[in-house]
Amino acid sequence: MADIDWTRIVTAATRAPSIHNTQPWRFVAGPDRLDVFYDRERALPVLDPTHRQQVMSCGIAAAFAEVALLASGAAATTELLPDPADQDHLATLTVTGGAEADDRARALAAAIDERHTVRAAFEPRGVPAELLDRLQRAAERYGLWMKVVDREEEETATVFLLSQAEEMEQGDPAYVKELESWMRTDPGAVDGVPVEAVPEGDPHDRPSNWLVRDFVVGARVPRMFRAAGDPDAPPPDVERPTVVLLGTESDDRAAWLQAGQALGQVLLLATAEGLVASPLTQALDWPATRTRLRQRLSLIGHPQMLLRMGYPPAGLAPSVTGRRPVAEVLTTEG
Ligand SMILES: Cc1cc2nc3c(=O)[nH]c(=O)nc-3n(C[C@H](O)[C@H](O)[C@H](O)COP(=O)(O)O)c2cc1C
């Protein structure tokens, strides 16, 4: 087997989505292994004090690395938390030999660069049941459950908790300050969320039941002071995305990493099948709303990710968010 091009593999890994595009990872490559570490320097102490969402983000990066390795002709195994003395050593990928990349492996690897978080309204058609089954099976391979939130009372409860969490966040100056520190207006930014990647108007005004995270809190004219729209204009089509909830039995670092691995596979398979997605994690940010979601949906286990999925509107040019140069996150040994 030829030497592994770790720069290429880690470039693919860093295309992983991460909460607020914090990219909270470091990689160390040896001849036949890649170690993934959590980088505490990039923590979000207000939004993610337990590091759950950032560890999950690193799990996605590990999954993307494994997909990229397979497509390059190398089979690898991934061990989670390989060092009990260092909980920030999140994963070790060990190359076990050569592999014949099939069409499926190549399609998943191609999806790494095509995937972007899309917060725009989706086309009105839903995701076919057969594809949802395949996404569910992809998640189950990592021990996750995937639940489609489509019963009316479950949808109502989830939408309510999302709005409640969003309100709690907007009312928390520490949350707002942290969010603002990760917003980017410079088109060359290598991290953080670019303003072009988030909806321009107030998320409450989108024709959707599902409230996307508001990334420009505090800067809006309150709705009661805004001019009313044209009363004769026809109401816009209401978006009906497919919303799925991914969860785990336990709620520790290993479970968060598995959630990341599963989410990585689900996102790549979805992208390869022409879907786009955006996480809606506000209700999972806060212990109170997360617990309430468990109760209201009678969940067994712990919700880790709420994902809005659908087909992109025609002509959509997704916003590409920046990444730090690989040299900044990869150390090569041996
Ligand atoms: C664990 C996790 C939680 C996220 N939560 C949200 C969210 O609540 N709302 C949102 O719009 N995007 C959310 N995102 C998407 C990130 O903002 C996005 O991945 C990042 O800005 C990079 O952009 P990209 O996915 O287009 O590469 C989340 C991503 C991850 C991995």
Side-chain angles (χ1 to χ4, degrees):
M1 192 182 46
D3 284 350
I4 307 284
D5 180 349
W6 287 115
T7 298
R8 214 172 120 205
I9 302 302
V10 172
T11 300
T14 61
R15 287 308 318 166
S18 59
I19 178 79
H20 289 2
N21 197 22
T22 45
Q23 305 166 46
W25 42 60
R26 272 190 315 109
F27 301 87
V28 179
D32 63 356
R33 63 184 269 170
L34 181 70
D35 291 293
V36 185
F37 293 87
Y38 173 52
D39 183 350
R40 282 174 183 262
E41 302 273 306
R42 307 186 68 81
L44 293 171
V46 181
L47 171 62
D48 193 24
T50 61
H51 315 298
R52 182 183 68 82
Q53 301 196 56
Q54 287 199 314
V55 167
M56 199 192 310
S57 306
C58 292
I60 309 172
F64 279 20
E66 203 172 320
V67 167
L69 275 169
L70 191 57
S72 76
T77 56
T78 301
E79 188 188 356
L80 301 181
L81 301 171
D83 180 357
D86 181 3
Q87 287 295 291
D88 288 346
H89 188 173
L90 298 179
T92 299
L93 279 73
T94 306
V95 176
T96 51
E100 193 74 45
D102 58 14
D103 286 350
R104 183 179 171 275
R106 277 192 289 270
L108 288 187
I112 289 176
D113 282 335
E114 286 163 24
R115 185 215 60 84
H116 304 288
T117 298
V118 172
R119 300 175 182 91
F122 300 152
E123 268 196 4
R125 67 193 161 118
V127 179
E130 171 277 327
L131 179 49
L132 281 173
D133 281 350
R134 277 196 284 146
L135 294 170
Q136 200 159 17
R137 284 201 297 277
E140 279 167 4
R141 277 201 292 278
Y142 292 86
L144 273 274
W145 48 258
M146 186 181 113
K147 174 183 173 53
V148 182
V149 183
D150 56 359
R151 292 196 11 234
E152 199 181 329
E153 61 276 22
E154 291 181 343
E155 182 175 321
T156 307
T158 310
V159 165
F160 173 76
L161 289 169
L162 268 181
S163 308
Q164 202 179 31
E166 184 70 49
E167 215 170 285
M168 284 157 75
E169 298 191 323
Q170 293 188 25
D172 180 348
Y175 166 87
V176 172
K177 192 165 170 228
E178 185 178 83
L179 175 64
E180 278 171 356
S181 74
W182 287 98
M183 291 309 296
R184 301 286 182 263
T185 47
D186 169 7
V190 296
D191 62 9
V193 182
V195 286
E196 310 84 63
V198 301
E200 245 179 42
D202 186 332
H204 288 94
D205 296 342
R206 292 170 77 252
S208 177
N209 291 348
W210 296 95
L211 190 62
V212 297
R213 188 186 291 273
D214 192 349
F215 285 91
V216 281
V217 282
R220 299 192 187 289
V221 178
R223 271 193 293 173
M224 59 182 166
F225 297 127
R226 273 188 257 147
D230 175 1
D232 298 327
D237 285 341
V238 173
E239 174 200 48
R240 302 292 307 173
T242 299
V243 175
V244 300
L245 188 58
L246 291 157
T248 48
E249 253 171 54
S250 47
D251 198 28
D252 50 20
R253 275 200 171 202
W256 303 337
L257 284 166
Q258 283 170 326
Q261 290 178 296
L263 180 61
Q265 293 284 340
V266 164
L267 288 172
L268 294 182
L269 178 56
T271 306
E273 295 290 341
L275 294 176
V276 287
S278 76
L280 297 165
T281 55
Q282 305 95 308
L284 308 184
D285 294 345
W286 300 83
T289 45
R290 193 170 175 225
T291 304
R292 200 90 189 100
L293 191 68
R294 282 181 74 187
Q295 292 164 343
R296 293 299 303 274
L297 272 57
S298 307
L299 302 174
I300 298 169
H302 304 268
Q304 302 292 353
M305 169 58 64
L306 189 67
L307 200 60
R308 177 183 154 266
M309 285 196 304
Y311 291 93
L316 176 89
S319 180
V320 180
T321 56
R323 293 296 188 274
R324 291 186 289 158
V326 168
E328 217 177 273
V329 296
L330 171 64
T331 311
T332 307
E333 289 177 346

